[in-house]
Amino acid sequence: MIYLDYNATTPIDPQVAEAMIPYIYESFGNPSSSHQLGQTAKNAVEHARGQIARLLGCSREEILFTSGGSESNNMAIKGTAYTLRQKGDHIITSTIEHPAVLTPCKHLEKQGYSISYLPVDENGIIQISELEKAMTDRTILVTVMLANNETGTIQPIQEISRICRKHGVLLHTDASQAVGKIPVLVDELGVDLLTVAGHKLYAPKGIGALYIRKGVNVEPLIHGAGHESGRRAGTENVIFDVALGKACEIAGEHLKDHTLKELTDYFYSGLKSIFHDQIHLNGDPVNKLPNTLNISFLGHNGSDVLDMLGKDIAASTGSACHSGLISVSPVLNAMGTPHETARGAVRFSLGRMTTKEEINTVLERFALFHKRQKGEVL
Ligand SMILES: Cc1ncc(COP(=O)(O)O)c(C=O)c1O
């Protein structure tokens, strides 16, 4: 299997798996227990919290463990909305967010909050002038993703932050796709809340974190005992907390390594030399994740391209066929990508385990596909 779908999920890094083992077998205590097994587990959770904090450049107390990107986004958005209800009821987001942001916003709309959806340009970048215009004296939160899961386009969060600071409005960013792929430092970005999803950076599925800047109050979504400083009830998932900590430590070690970007660029130039102007790169060609290529194969449907590649190559398409009608990705739609282009989109997302040999195999398949198209081979 050639796996080029790392934005969907990553395998668990072997070093991460190894770090989990002692907490499966020996150190299984409840971190709330005062005996030695409990304290060992507690120390492990706090060590992991520190590893995440180091990667994000914040303090340990500002990291809350969650069950993943969806929960972190829900907590950031609904938690601040409920806390700040007296102050205001208006939230600003964008049209290209993941459903884990859009759906909590829709939920709040039903509860009487009003939501503004910022448009993006043809590269998928938020129009900053629209943000200024959308701000009102009832605005309490801006939530804009750091990097898009489909196109890899990176948003100008620092600029967005300057506007939020000017208006005294909190800023959340869904960094599920960015953490581990590019440097993500909360102070440099100027965010108040930031989402981490473990399974996008070689930790297991079902673990994540939310950075909450000191002094920001977020209403808990899960009530119970006083875990996580009273912000999220439930006995800590020690094994997965340890895994996320280790995954963040390893991610930090890889941040200066440009191999993945070089491999992604190599793949793109290989595709260009086969297809020339019959492919289109979706998203911003410069401000993008180093591992993501969202390519439209003009004149084709994305799903047909994937079928042609073969079942042993894993990538994904944002388009889908329902009763003979092709529906295209809402993200490409929001970018104003013509339907004819959007229907041919395929997302390739490379990762730490991707090899040049694998990319060469995929390029060979594409070269054959192209020759067949031109009728040069049967
Ligand atoms: C940008 C983004 N946000 C949030 C999520 C949801 O994360 P999780 O699957 O950990 O709930 C994903 C996962 O696909 C994502 O890509």
Side-chain angles (χ1 to χ4, degrees), residues 64 70 90 93 135 203 334 357-358 362:
L64 178 83
S70 299
H90 177 235
T93 187
M135 286 280 186
E357 289 69 38
E358 290 179 318
V362 178

Side-chain angles (χ1 to χ4, degrees), residues 301-304 317-330 333 339 343:
N301 290 331
S303 53
D304 297 339
T317 172
S319 61
C321 185
H322 305 287
S323 324
L325 290 175
I326 307 288
S327 67
V328 301
S329 137
N333 225 357
H339 185 273
R343 76 180 175 94

Side-chain angles (χ1 to χ4, degrees), residues 7-8 67-71 73 98 100 145 147-149 174 176-177 195 197-200 206-207:
N7 284 11
S67 65
S70 299
E71 185 185 330
N73 286 343
H98 190 275
M145 72 199 321
N148 185 265
N149 41 304
D174 176 0
S176 298
Q177 290 291 347
T195 291
H199 72 110
K200 312 289 186 186
I207 184 71

Side-chain angles (χ1 to χ4, degrees), residues 142-221:
V142 171
T143 172
V144 171
M145 72 199 321
L146 181 48
N148 185 265
N149 41 304
E150 290 187 32
T151 61
T153 297
I154 297 170
Q155 297 299 333
I157 296 293
Q158 287 170 317
E159 270 181 78
I160 294 172
S161 169
R162 272 191 285 277
I163 297 168
C164 290
R165 294 271 183 272
K166 195 170 91 186
H167 291 264
V169 168
L170 292 177
L171 174 60
H172 165 247
T173 191
D174 176 0
S176 298
Q177 290 291 347
V179 175
K181 296 182 184 129
I182 54 169
V184 174
L185 294 164
V186 291
D187 284 341
E188 217 166 78
L189 291 170
V191 294
D192 302 295
L193 301 132
L194 180 140
T195 291
V196 180
H199 72 110
K200 312 289 186 186
L201 74 149
Y202 309 90
K205 295 153 193 61
I207 184 71
L210 178 64
Y211 157 76
I212 308 174
R213 185 175 289 283
K214 193 164 176 261
V216 172
N217 282 323
V218 179
E219 173 113 354
L221 300 184

Side-chain angles (χ1 to χ4, degrees), residues 187-316:
D187 284 341
E188 217 166 78
L189 291 170
V191 294
D192 302 295
L193 301 132
L194 180 140
T195 291
V196 180
H199 72 110
K200 312 289 186 186
L201 74 149
Y202 309 90
K205 295 153 193 61
I207 184 71
L210 178 64
Y211 157 76
I212 308 174
R213 185 175 289 283
K214 193 164 176 261
V216 172
N217 282 323
V218 179
E219 173 113 354
L221 300 184
I222 303 173
H223 299 95
H227 306 94
E228 295 290 307
S229 313
R231 295 182 294 188
R232 181 184 188 259
T235 301
E236 295 83 349
N237 188 344
V238 181
I239 302 163
F240 281 27
D241 292 358
V242 166
L244 182 57
K246 186 69 187 173
C248 286
E249 182 190 300
I250 299 169
E253 290 161 8
H254 278 85
L255 279 179
K256 290 207 173 77
D257 182 357
H258 299 297
T259 321
L260 190 52
K261 178 171 186 318
E262 283 159 16
L263 197 54
T264 308
D265 290 349
Y266 171 78
F267 186 26
Y268 182 54
S269 51
L271 287 172
K272 266 305 228 193
S273 66
I274 297 168
F275 291 99
H276 305 284
D277 58 357
Q278 288 160 29
I279 56 172
H280 172 79
L281 179 70
N282 296 308
D284 195 285
V286 179
N287 298 307
K288 75 173 192 71
L289 293 175
N291 77 318
T292 308
L293 278 182
N294 189 312
I295 307 274
S296 279
F297 293 84
L298 305 177
H300 297 278
N301 290 331
S303 53
D304 297 339
V305 175
L306 290 181
D307 284 349
M308 175 286 305
L309 271 180
K311 287 204 185 329
D312 57 339
I313 295 175
S316 60

